């Protein structure tokens, strides 16, 4: 996604992301994490990005990956189809930067809402059949580290979230 270009306006950051993903697929990468939750220069500063914006950007990037995959098949007919991880409810690279940053396990309702929004966006983009290639969803299971503290896993705190995964047998949770 556009993390490294977050200081740029959406059009420019997404153009760079599209090119990066195209090159990754053409190079043979087969696990693609569509992380589009970071705010870009022209996004509202005082509110969280909506699932709708995040999933829209993810669907756009998946289309680029699929186009690149079709291009790759012309020269490598046995190329493996990419699989996708969606979502990004994790801290920034390097871990939490603030002491006790209010760590919260992803709620079941947030998890289900994110999946439903991505599914809808895939349908709107005419790529609903690619939903079968989504193999993982990034969630916050309650494990975290930072420069000054560590939050160990609490199985009880993540029990409801883990139970919700049973409704989605072809998807796993990914944590960073």
């Amino acid at each position: 996604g556009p993390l490294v270009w977050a200081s740029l306006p959406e059009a420019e950051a997404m153009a760079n992301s599209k090119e990066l993903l195209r090159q990754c697929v053409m190079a043979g990468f087969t696990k693609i994490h569509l992380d589009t939750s970071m705010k870009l220069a022209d996004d509202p500063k005082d509110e969280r990005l909506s699932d709708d914006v995040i999933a829209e950007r993810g669907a756009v990037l998946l289309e680029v990956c699929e186009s690149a995959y079709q291009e790759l098949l012309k020269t490598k007919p046995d190329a493996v189809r990419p699989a996708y991880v969606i979502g990004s409810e994790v801290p920034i690279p390097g871990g939490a930067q603030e002491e006790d940053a209010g760590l919260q396990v992803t709620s079941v309702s947030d998890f289900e809402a994110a999946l439903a929004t991505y599914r809808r966006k895939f349908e709107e983009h005419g790529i609903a059949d690619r939903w079968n290639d989504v193999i993982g969803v990034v969630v916050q299971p309650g494990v975290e580290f930072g420069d000054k503290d560590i939050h160990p896993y609490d199985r009880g705190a993540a029990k409801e979230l883990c139970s919700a995964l049973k409704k989605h047998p072809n998807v796993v949770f990914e944590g960073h």
Side-chain angles (χ1 to χ4, degrees):
L3 176 63
V4 297
W5 300 288
S7 64
L8 300 175
E10 179 182 15
E12 196 173 347
M14 287 296 289
N16 290 344
S17 298
K18 290 174 185 179
E19 180 57 21
L20 173 65
L21 284 170
R22 189 189 75 70
Q23 289 185 28
C24 286
V25 171
M26 293 302 291
F29 285 72
T30 57
K31 178 186 170 212
I32 307 292
H33 180 186
L34 301 172
D35 184 352
T36 55
S37 66
M38 63 291 307
K39 289 184 180 184
L40 305 177
D42 48 0
D43 286 329
K45 304 294 181 228
D46 57 345
E47 58 190 58
R48 175 192 173 286
L49 285 180
S50 69
D51 285 347
D52 202 63
V53 168
I54 293 168
E56 173 66 25
R57 290 174 180 169
V60 166
L61 293 180
L62 189 137
E63 287 179 305
V64 170
C65 293
E66 286 300 308
S67 177
Y69 176 67
Q70 294 306 314
E71 186 180 338
L72 179 63
L73 285 175
K74 293 174 185 172
T75 58
K76 295 186 177 180
D78 60 343
V80 175
R81 173 176 286 289
Y84 301 98
V85 175
I86 59 173
S88 53
E89 199 160 319
V90 293
I92 63 170
Q97 303 300 306
E98 301 170 11
E99 234 178 283
D100 196 9
L103 179 70
Q104 296 290 322
V105 172
T106 301
S107 71
V108 172
S109 61
D110 285 349
F111 166 64
E112 294 290 353
L115 288 181
T117 305
Y118 269 96
R119 239 180 221 254
R120 180 174 47 81
K121 287 297 179 179
F122 282 21
E123 289 171 9
E124 288 174 9
H125 282 260
I127 53 174
D129 57 334
R130 297 286 52 93
W131 186 254
N132 294 328
D133 297 326
V134 174
I135 60 167
V137 180
V138 177
V139 296
Q140 174 49 273
V143 178
E144 182 57 88
F145 69 95
D147 290 341
K148 297 180 181 173
D149 51 333
I150 296 173
H151 297 273
Y153 180 63
D154 176 354
R155 181 182 290 255
K159 185 176 182 176
E160 286 183 44
L161 177 63
C162 291
S163 292
L165 189 61
K166 293 175 185 173
K167 291 174 25 184
H168 307 280
N170 297 322
V171 175
V172 299
F173 286 147
E174 181 170 310
H176 297 175

